[in-house]
Amino acid sequence: MIAIYPGSFDPITLGHLDIVERGSRLFDQVIVAVLKNPNKTPLFTMEKRLEMIQQAIDHLPNASVDSFHGLTVNYAKIRGATVILRGLRVLSDFEMELQMAHTNKTLADSIETVFLATSNEYSFLSSSVVKEVARFGGSVDHLVPTHVALEIYQRCSVKTPLE
């Protein structure tokens, strides 16, 4: 069974990685699907996000990364996926994600949405939080993989907290 885990992943966080790792134990294949969203101004280019995600998931033999644009269900059909994997942090996530799951079900009845509750240690974590902390010179080492933290420090033109 193939699952896709869609999102902008700008940048990938340890919370995202936790969902991918747990999903890889549940499904035959997990595709981290990076959405090209024209309504967002990302910190990182698509190419850089794909590179950082690939490095973060290299240890998972049944996980891969790809990019797409358009509707998630259409991308899922193209890839032969029958599951859309989503992580839930807080109640407000659930409301939005449930609405999206219902919408996707009306568009593609054969594709199910599976929610994984975020692990406690990542329940507060989002890419937006990571970017905000970094912009103000805070450490993000405990929020993202090491190679991603280095990219963030370089991109935000701040010294690493250890310097």
Side-chain angles (χ1 to χ4, degrees):
M1 185 177 300
I2 299 171
I4 63 163
Y5 180 33
S8 57
F9 304 101
D10 184 45
I12 189 167
T13 69
L14 292 177
H16 293 134
L17 189 54
D18 178 58
I19 297 294
V20 176
E21 289 172 343
R22 290 165 53 209
S24 74
R25 292 192 301 266
L26 297 172
F27 303 104
D28 299 322
Q29 183 181 7
V30 175
I31 302 167
V32 180
V34 184
L35 174 64
K36 296 175 187 175
N37 188 341
N39 299 325
K40 288 189 176 183
T41 305
L43 180 63
F44 293 104
T45 65
M46 178 61 70
E47 294 73 24
K48 179 53 80 173
R49 284 182 278 161
L50 293 172
E51 176 188 313
M52 290 188 299
I53 294 166
Q54 185 58 59
Q55 190 173 346
I57 65 171
D58 266 346
H59 66 287
L60 300 170
N62 64 333
S64 61
V65 62
D66 194 13
S67 63
F68 76 103
H69 65 283
L71 294 173
T72 301
V73 292
N74 290 345
Y75 175 75
K77 288 177 187 177
I78 290 167
R79 293 303 304 263
T82 55
V83 171
I84 296 172
L85 180 62
R86 299 298 296 159
L88 295 175
R89 294 171 299 171
V90 292
L91 186 59
S92 58
D93 281 353
F94 179 74
E95 292 176 27
M96 184 206 46
E97 292 291 348
L98 184 62
Q99 181 180 24
M100 188 57 62
H102 287 312
T103 302
N104 287 337
K105 197 69 171 163
T106 68
L107 296 170
D109 189 50
S110 62
I111 298 174
E112 295 292 340
T113 300
V114 172
F115 299 112
L116 290 181
T118 304
S119 295
N120 287 340
E121 64 267 32
Y122 305 122
S123 62
F124 69 95
L125 187 52
S126 69
S127 294
S128 298
V129 165
V130 170
K131 290 183 280 195
E132 189 76 7
V133 169
R135 282 189 185 109
F136 288 102
S139 172
V140 296
D141 296 348
H142 61 295
L143 306 175
V144 296
T146 303
H147 68 282
V148 175
L150 294 173
E151 292 286 351
I152 292 169
Y153 295 137
Q154 182 178 17
R155 184 76 170 101
C156 291
S157 299
V158 296
K159 292 184 176 185
T160 63
L162 300 176
E163 294 183 280

